[in-house]
Amino acid sequence: MGRDGIGAGEVARRRGAGSGSRPGRGRYALDRDGIGADLAGLAGLVEPTRRALYLYVLDQGSAVSRDEAAAGVGIPRHKAKFHLDKLVGDGLLEVEFARRTGRQGPGAGRPAKLYRRAAREFSVTLPQRSYELAGRLMARGIAHARGAGRPVAETLDDAAREQGRELAAEALRQAGDDPPPAALLAAARSVLDEQGYATRAEPAGLAFANCPFHALVAEHTDLVCGMNLAIVEGMLGGLPPLPVAAVLDPGTGRCCVRLAAAGRAGS
């Protein structure tokens, strides 16, 4: 393939993750707001005391103090403080300050530091799945279909393409100003990997080794495959022209969509 094809993109990616790179960066970095962040946040719950404190806070109807948490799980106050603050750092708990006595003004004392469950949601599936995204897209498609009197399949396609355009914006942000095609393709691949597609370079282009909506495919094959195709087409449509095209190519153990190299889209 030419210098701007898949091969060149793969070379650029490998150079970026070469001897000058730091651990945790490049293709397999898990430092974004996706599976890596969720894994990091949940890892702390392996520690028994921390897990017990987290479950205690979840069971309460309101925010709790470190004294209450310490008494609730039967550990010293200083140990409770250490683990509660670790849970805050992991994004599992949030902190608020309030006066428990109800007194206000001078002499009321300092507000107490209280802990409650964080609003952020954590979800980890391996291989990576995105059923929440599928649900959002389907709900959006159904709502638009009811409002416009159009077939759901068409409005779901619209919603998926809009999602693809959002991915294109992220790829452009990652690629920087005026990127060459190889760098732009590498950024697009990085974004697809973050969505769980697990791209894999092949002679004919890029295969997607994982389907983020795998559990839905068996009963709704056409719907899910069409949604995947629309997402990827929407992404490519939001980028400057690249030497690839999204095509349906169902196969065992991988996504039904792949990126075919220019001139091989029909293969």
Side-chain angles (χ1 to χ4, degrees):
M1 273 172 284
R3 62 185 298 178
D4 292 333
I6 298 292
E10 183 65 13
V11 170
R13 294 168 68 85
R14 293 184 179 182
R15 286 176 178 170
S19 59
S21 62
R22 292 181 291 174
R25 294 189 178 275
R27 168 96 195 265
Y28 300 104
L30 292 179
D31 57 353
R32 297 189 178 276
D33 291 334
I35 188 172
D38 283 353
L39 283 171
L42 293 173
L45 294 179
V46 174
E47 206 286 325
T49 300
R50 203 167 302 169
R51 182 169 64 251
L53 283 166
Y54 179 71
L55 293 174
Y56 173 81
V57 174
L58 259 61
D59 283 343
Q60 310 312 305
S62 60
V64 302
S65 69
R66 65 188 63 163
D67 289 338
E68 291 168 332
V73 300
I75 60 174
R77 181 178 185 275
H78 72 276
K79 191 173 183 179
K81 177 183 182 303
F82 171 79
H83 287 293
L84 287 168
D85 288 340
K86 285 289 188 180
L87 289 166
V88 172
D90 288 339
L92 291 162
L93 296 182
E94 294 175 350
V95 169
E96 64 182 51
F97 293 88
R99 289 188 174 90
R100 288 293 187 82
T101 63
R103 297 173 58 189
Q104 301 291 330
R110 296 175 59 185
K113 185 177 183 180
L114 306 175
Y115 301 84
R116 67 166 60 251
R117 182 182 64 185
R120 176 184 169 188
E121 296 181 355
F122 289 78
S123 177
V124 176
T125 53
L126 296 173
Q128 188 175 346
R129 308 300 187 200
S130 298
Y131 300 121
E132 181 182 351
L133 173 60
R136 290 202 310 268
L137 294 179
M138 290 179 182
R140 195 181 306 165
I142 292 170
H144 289 174
R146 294 181 63 182
R150 296 170 57 200
V152 172
E154 291 183 5
T155 54
L156 177 58
D157 186 78
D158 291 344
R161 288 179 185 277
E162 178 59 31
Q163 176 66 20
R165 287 190 285 272
E166 293 179 10
L167 299 183
E170 173 60 18
L172 289 169
R173 187 193 67 79
Q174 290 188 24
D177 296 333
D178 195 25
L184 184 59
L185 183 58
R189 183 178 176 184
S190 175
V191 170
L192 290 168
D193 286 341
E194 290 166 15
Q195 297 300 306
Y197 285 104
T199 61
R200 179 178 62 212
E202 294 184 344
L206 286 180
F208 296 173
N210 183 56
C211 174
F213 316 121
H214 174 76
L216 304 175
V217 173
E219 294 186 17
H220 309 286
T221 304
D222 291 343
L223 190 71
V224 174
C225 289
M227 184 167 64
N228 274 320
L229 181 62
I231 288 173
V232 180
E233 287 182 337
M235 181 179 184
L236 293 178
L239 297 172
L242 287 172
V244 292
V247 297
L248 279 175
D249 184 22
T252 303
R254 58 178 169 83
C255 180
C256 54
V257 177
R258 67 179 173 90
L259 289 183
R264 305 190 64 168
S267 62

